[in-house]
Each structure stands twice: as structure tokens, then as C-alpha cells.
């Protein structure tokens, strides 16, 4: 499996429209882990790690900027305040793209191949199947899977206390609308944060 670092844009577009429909089997997977010994209500301030895991070669990427803006919005909605000095929490991001492969098996009678309109054996499809001597056809397709991590760290102890993760499929179409998709992805991840917003409590 080939895993490559994400550079200018991430697999975060995978998290946009699909995250809204996270209940669908084909949608991305969102999960969160927390330190159950921590009282999250005692944290009042936060800042962002430097450098962020989404920064590259000494500069801040557009992805980092979008993630910071979306995360600041989510944390401020939960009563936290962004500060420059002595934050109680630090937030970091990371992302990766992985090449995945899917294997499916279909009856030989349903596979069109050869020559002519629809393939030589296309006339059988949908009407009847072949006898068992015709082995099934195996088809392999590749796709790109993206992973977004949001880490929340206790700044004083330098210990991660919460992690939100979203994993899903990346397409060219979803990559075209990066900022709104990142906004939706971050909101979906923070829906699992221990401290709820006022609207979530209603």
C-alpha cells in the first residue's frame, strides 16, 4: 500500500458531503478517543501547535488556515478562548492519503468483453446465467482514502487528551470545494467532543 504525505490539499474533501450523511454505509467513518480521567470543563484557553502537522517546509498551508479557522469556531462555541501565551490546551492536525483497492466478483455472463456493441457476451446479461463451467470474473478497482486527525493536548502536561479522526474516500469533485468541506469535516469531528455547544444541549 502506498501512503504519501498530503501537500497543498488534503483528503479533507472526502469528509464534506459524505460526513453530512455519516450514517450511510458508504460514507466516511468518524470516531473520537478521550482521556476519561480528564475534566474537560476546566479548560478555558487554547492555541495551535507550531508547526502544525499540516504545515509544509516552514510555511503554513491553506489547509492549515482552513482547519484553524474551523476549529477556532468550534472551540469558541464551547466557551474556550484563543490566546497567544500560556494556553491550557494545544490543537494539532494531521492528514494522509492512502491508495486502496476494492475487489468484486461478478458472474461471467454479466461481463461484457470482446468486440461489437456491448461486447460479445453482452447479449446474455440480464437474461440468463451460464453453466458452472464459466468461472466468475474478478474486478479490481483503486481509489484514494484520506484520513484527518485532530489532536487536543494538555499544554502543561504535554499529553494528548482527545483525538478526533475522520476517514473516507477522496474524489476530484470533492477536492474542488476544499474550504466548505473542511468546515463540515471539522464540525462533524467536534460533534464528538466532550463539551457540547449550546445548540447541542437544546
Amino acid at each position: 500500500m502506498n501512503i504519501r504525505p498530503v501537500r497543498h490539499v488534503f483528503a479533507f474533501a472526502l469528509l464534506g458531503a459524505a460526513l453530512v450523511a455519516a450514517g450511510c454505509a458508504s460514507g466516511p467513518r468518524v470516531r473520537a478517543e478521550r482521556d476519561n480521567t480528564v475534566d474537560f470543563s476546566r479548560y478555558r484557553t487554547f492555541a495551535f501547535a507550531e508547526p502544525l502537522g499540516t504545515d509544509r517546509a516552514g510555511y503554513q498551508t491553506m489547509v492549515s488556515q482552513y482547519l484553524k479557522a474551523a476549529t477556532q469556531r468550534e472551540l469558541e462555541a464551547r466557551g474556550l478562548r484563543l490566546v497567544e501565551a500560556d494556553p491550557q490546551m494545544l490543537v494539532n492536525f494531521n492528514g494522509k492519503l492512502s491508495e486502496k483497492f476494492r475487489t468484486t466478483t461478478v458472474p461471467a455472463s454479466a461481463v461484457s468483453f470482446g468486440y461489437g456493441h456491448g461486447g460479445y457476451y453482452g447479449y446474455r446479461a440480464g437474461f440468463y446465467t451460464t453453466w458452472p463451467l464459466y468461472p466468475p470474473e474478478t474486478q479490481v478497482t483503486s481509489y484514494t482514502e484520506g484520513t484527518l486527525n485532530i489532536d487536543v493536548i494538555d499544554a502543561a502536561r504535554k499529553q494528548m487528551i482527545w483525538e478526533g479522526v475522520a476517514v473516507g474516500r477522496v474524489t476530484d469533485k470533492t477536492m474542488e470545494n476544499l474550504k466548505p468541506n473542511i468546515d463540515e469535516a471539522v464540525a462533524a469531528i467536534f460533534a464528538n467532543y466532550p463539551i457540547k455547544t449550546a445548540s447541542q444541549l437544546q
Side-chain angles (χ1 to χ4, degrees):
M1 181 186 302
N2 178 35
I3 297 178
R4 60 185 185 278
V6 182
R7 296 181 181 176
H8 298 295
V9 287
F10 278 97
F12 306 137
L14 68 96
L15 311 167
L19 272 181
V20 176
C24 298
S26 59
R29 304 174 298 282
V30 180
R31 65 175 177 82
E33 300 289 340
R34 60 170 291 180
D35 183 341
N36 291 318
T37 67
V38 172
D39 178 8
F40 284 80
S41 65
R42 71 181 182 86
Y43 295 97
R44 292 288 183 265
T45 61
F46 72 97
F48 295 100
E50 294 184 6
L52 292 166
T54 50
D55 290 343
R56 290 293 178 269
Y59 68 91
Q60 189 170 103
T61 65
M62 294 300 295
V63 167
S64 291
Q65 295 176 40
Y66 295 154
L67 284 168
K68 287 173 66 175
T71 298
Q72 180 177 347
R73 187 163 52 247
E74 291 296 325
L75 290 177
E76 288 179 343
R78 290 164 172 81
L80 286 93
R81 180 169 51 91
L82 178 65
V83 297
E84 295 184 0
D86 298 323
Q88 293 175 297
M89 296 192 326
L90 290 173
V91 181
N92 197 11
F93 312 109
N94 197 37
K96 70 178 181 181
L97 295 175
S98 304
E99 294 302 320
K100 300 285 186 177
F101 298 92
R102 176 179 291 112
T103 301
T104 55
T105 301
V106 297
S109 61
V111 178
S112 296
F113 59 92
Y115 58 89
H117 179 70
Y120 181 76
Y121 291 101
Y123 69 93
R124 295 173 178 156
F127 292 97
Y128 55 91
T129 59
T130 58
W131 51 78
L133 292 178
Y134 277 46
E137 297 288 335
T138 299
Q139 301 175 343
V140 179
T141 57
S142 64
Y143 64 96
T144 302
E145 183 178 81
T147 302
L148 167 64
N149 289 68
I150 300 179
D151 299 342
V152 175
I153 303 105
D154 183 297
R157 295 190 294 129
K158 300 186 184 304
Q159 175 68 49
M160 188 168 69
I161 57 175
W162 185 83
E163 176 190 32
V165 182
V167 182
R169 189 168 179 171
V170 184
T171 66
D172 291 338
K173 181 178 180 180
T174 50
M175 293 290 277
E176 293 172 358
N177 299 296
L178 191 59
K179 185 180 183 302
N181 286 326
I182 285 178
D183 289 345
E184 292 185 34
V186 171
I189 290 174
F190 271 99
N192 297 283
Y193 194 72
I195 303 300
K196 304 303 180 184
T197 64
S199 61
Q200 288 177 317
L201 294 174
Q202 291 177 354

